[in-house]
Amino acid sequence: MDFDDFYRDTARRLARYAYGLTGDPVEAQDLVQEAYARAWQRWRRLSGYDDPEAWLRLVVNRLSADRWRRLGIRRARAAAEPPPPTVSAPSEDVVLLVRAMRDLPERVRRALALHYLLDRSIADIATETGATPNTVKSWLFRGRTLLAAALEDSPAKTNEKEVARRDR
C-alpha cells in the first residue's frame, strides 16, 4: 500500500479519534496533520508495520498529551502572575473619536492613524501605502474634515449646545 492510499483509508477515522481526545475540531485537525507529516517522513519503515494506523494513533495520543501539558503549564503560569493593573475607562472624547474614525474610509483612517498616532511623515505614509504624497495629503485633509463634521454632530456636542441655550 502506498502512502496516498493509506491516508485516504485512515484520515477520517484518525480525525474522529483526535476530536474525541481534544474536543476541539481545529486542534484535532492540527494533531492529525502533524501525525501524517511524521508518518510521511517514516513511511518506508511504517509501511512494513502490521498496523501503521496504530502508530498514527500513538503519535496523536502523544501530541494530545503534550497539548494538555502545555495548557496546564500556561494556566499555572497565568495563575501565578499578579493581575494586570486596572486601566481607567476611556474618556468620552476618546470614545467619540474612535466611533467617528470607524465611519471613515479605510485608506483615510489608515493615513490619519499613521500620521497622528505614529508620527509618520507624509512621505513615509506615501511609501507605505503606495500612494503619492499629494494623495496622502488629500486623505489627511478629507479625514480631518469628516472627523470635524462627525464630532460636531456628536451627542456630547448636542448636549453642550442645549446646556448653553438653557443658560442664556
Side-chain angles (χ1 to χ4, degrees):
M1 177 186 308
D2 71 345
F3 186 80
D4 291 342
D5 291 335
F6 174 71
Y7 176 81
R8 278 191 290 277
D9 291 345
T10 60
R12 285 180 173 249
R13 282 192 305 272
L14 193 63
R16 282 193 306 266
Y17 179 70
Y19 178 65
L21 291 177
T22 64
D24 179 353
V26 174
E27 184 67 28
Q29 185 179 16
D30 288 347
L31 294 178
V32 169
Q33 287 176 348
E34 179 64 26
Y36 278 110
R38 292 178 183 193
W40 171 254
Q41 293 170 344
R42 297 163 179 81
W43 184 242
R44 283 189 183 171
R45 186 168 30 114
L46 282 176
S47 62
Y49 286 10
D50 290 336
D51 189 3
E53 189 175 351
W55 184 89
L56 279 175
R57 287 192 302 271
L58 179 63
V59 170
V60 168
N61 282 339
R62 289 178 178 167
L63 291 171
S64 177
D66 289 347
R67 173 185 174 267
W68 286 110
R69 195 174 301 113
R70 283 190 310 273
L71 286 173
I73 290 169
R74 281 189 210 139
R75 284 187 186 132
R77 188 177 299 142
E81 292 197 13
T86 57
V87 177
S88 60
S91 70
E92 186 177 348
D93 291 340
V94 170
V95 171
L96 292 172
L97 180 61
V98 169
R99 187 175 297 144
M101 289 280 288
R102 285 185 189 147
D103 294 335
L104 298 177
E106 189 274 329
R107 290 178 177 170
V108 172
R109 186 173 55 243
R110 183 176 179 196
L112 286 169
L114 287 169
H115 190 67
Y116 291 106
L117 299 178
L118 298 182
D119 295 323
R120 301 296 304 256
S121 70
I122 290 172
D124 289 343
I125 297 169
T127 301
E128 186 168 328
T129 60
T132 66
N134 284 337
T135 300
V136 173
K137 289 177 188 177
S138 171
W139 289 340
L140 291 172
F141 177 79
R142 184 172 168 210
R144 287 188 298 264
T145 303
L146 291 170
L147 279 178
L151 294 174
E152 187 64 34
D153 295 337
S154 70
K157 275 292 189 189
T158 305
N159 289 343
E160 287 176 18
K161 290 176 186 176
E162 288 176 15
V163 169
R165 198 173 333 128
R166 280 188 243 145
D167 289 345
R168 286 188 218 163

